[in-house]
Amino acid sequence: MAASPVVAELDLGKNGKQVGHLRVPRSRDDSGWGTELVPIVSVANGSGPTVLLTAGNHGDEYEGQVALLDLARSLRAEEVQGRVILLPAMHYPACAAGKRLSPIDGRDFNRCFPGDPFGTFAQVLAHFVDSVLLPLCDFQMDLHSGGTGMDILPCAVGHALDEPEMMRRTLDMADAFGAPITMVLREVNAGPTLLASAERRGIVALSSELGGGGRLHAGNLAITRRGATNVLRHAGVLPGQPEAGPYGPSRRMTVPDFSDYVFAPQDGIWEAADPLGSAVEAGAPAGRLHLTEAPGRDAIPLAYGSSGLLWCVRFAGRVRAGDPVAIVAHDL
């Protein structure tokens, strides 16, 4: 594989605490040799595992960004045994713009892995993360939330893995993270995600969904802060045992198929019938879709296709045909 053109301003093999940037090439009309700066922090001491914690994969998801900024300020080299690498605003241009997609190339960064060193901005950055950072890692967690469009019950997210030992280690890490829910998914279009890239390299890895609605929620931020520290304790990089949350052990759940999704059949404004976290029944009203371009028509009623926990709801009022407006989860 070709070498990455991204340059790190710090030495990832060096002990101590380092704060710097990744310089990602970006040629512009007014700057042919320009670079975009992506913040990176390394905290290392002695021997031990390496944990990569990332946030800002999508720029409109904030709990992870703030939790990792807290860690970047508070972690001290002398309390670490091993190495912690933090990317608190991994897809920095999207973070600076508060957008899900790259404002540079329009790509969803989490659908760009393993990347391309000769590709667009997002592909070049993904290639660096995949080919330079992931090979250093024993554990990796990518902190997400529902962004501007969705609101999601806070959870750790792991893929359903065919290898039993890796599945066990993944669930152990999720239990340590300590979100109220652990989702085990066969995710739609999972292959080009960071989580799948880490799994292909044999790294114990998790993602998450920690709220949404394009805002920073205090309760979800508390879960994220505690969870990120718990992952470092679980890995043995920080001393002590993971701290349990106030809601007891994480509830293991899944979304097995498309019958658990409610999709908008047309463009319109979504009116939900139930709040996030409700217990819902198959066939019960999920809500109504209002058609602004057809004021003489009745709103379209939509029903749940399965019974379970309302795990994810549409937050933004305006929807397009094909958007999910509700997702129902089930206990494993």
Side-chain angles (χ1 to χ4, degrees):
M1 182 179 289
S4 173
V6 178
V7 175
E9 292 182 342
L10 42 72
D11 181 354
L12 293 171
K14 180 181 176 181
N15 277 345
K17 184 172 185 176
Q18 304 172 78
V19 179
H21 294 91
L22 306 176
R23 289 193 172 270
V24 187
R26 183 192 173 192
S27 182
R28 310 190 310 269
D29 284 340
D30 62 345
S31 184
W33 294 342
T35 59
E36 289 284 336
L37 301 181
V38 175
I40 183 171
V41 178
S42 174
V43 186
N45 181 49
S47 61
T50 292
V51 181
L52 172 64
L53 297 177
T54 57
N57 189 324
H58 299 128
D60 61 346
E61 302 173 4
Y62 300 112
E63 282 79 4
Q65 294 182 53
V66 172
L68 295 195
L69 288 170
D70 285 343
L71 275 177
R73 288 186 290 265
S74 65
L75 274 180
R76 304 188 310 275
E78 57 268 26
E79 66 183 332
V80 166
Q81 192 63 41
R83 176 171 49 188
V84 181
I85 301 172
L86 303 173
L87 290 175
M90 180 165 55
H91 189 191
Y92 178 74
C95 294
K99 293 171 62 71
R100 176 181 177 86
L101 303 183
S102 172
I104 296 175
D105 58 18
R107 291 184 178 272
D108 182 335
F109 183 64
N110 206 33
R111 300 298 184 272
C112 286
F113 288 86
D116 180 353
F118 306 112
T120 66
F121 176 87
Q123 292 172 317
V124 169
L125 179 57
H127 174 264
F128 177 86
V129 174
D130 179 77
S131 66
V132 177
L133 296 184
L134 287 184
L136 302 175
C137 295
D138 301 285
F139 301 87
Q140 195 275 326
M141 187 161 190
D142 190 25
L143 297 166
H144 286 260
S145 68
T148 305
M150 305 297 288
D151 200 5
I152 306 177
L153 292 176
C155 58
V157 178
H159 286 152
L161 303 175
D162 295 327
E163 208 282 304
E165 178 61 14
M166 283 301 293
M167 188 76 258
R168 181 193 66 78
R169 294 181 68 194
T170 299
L171 289 173
D172 286 349
M173 182 173 161
D175 288 343
F177 183 81
I181 294 170
T182 293
M183 293 296 298
V184 180
L185 300 176
R186 293 195 182 274
E187 191 178 3
V188 177
N189 195 25
T193 64
L194 173 53
L195 179 56
S197 266
E199 291 163 347
R200 284 192 291 269
R201 293 185 176 274
I203 299 164
V204 182
L206 287 172
S207 182
S208 68
E209 297 293 352
L210 296 156
R215 86 291 198 199
L216 184 65
H217 185 280
N220 294 336
L221 178 58
I223 292 168
T224 312
R225 284 172 166 152
R226 182 174 55 246
T229 301
N230 280 348
V231 166
L232 299 181
R233 290 172 176 153
H234 173 74
V237 173
L238 287 182
Q241 296 299 311
E243 177 187 338
Y247 29 74
S250 187
R251 180 180 179 182
R252 292 180 183 174
M253 306 194 78
T254 190
V255 178
D257 56 51
F258 273 140
S259 69
D260 300 305
Y261 289 72
V262 179
F263 291 102
Q266 295 180 227
D267 294 3
I269 298 172
W270 176 243
E271 176 192 358
D274 299 296
L276 185 67
S278 298
V280 300
E281 297 291 332
R288 301 191 303 162
L289 186 65
H290 297 269
L291 309 177
T292 51
E293 75 281 5
R297 288 184 56 187
D298 291 339
I300 300 172
L302 300 179
Y304 297 112
S306 65
S307 301
L309 180 72
L310 187 55
W311 169 63
C312 175
V313 298
R314 179 74 180 178
F315 189 86
R318 186 74 190 177
V319 300
R320 293 185 179 181
D323 285 344
V325 293
I327 304 175
V328 178
H330 309 269
D331 289 306
L332 276 176

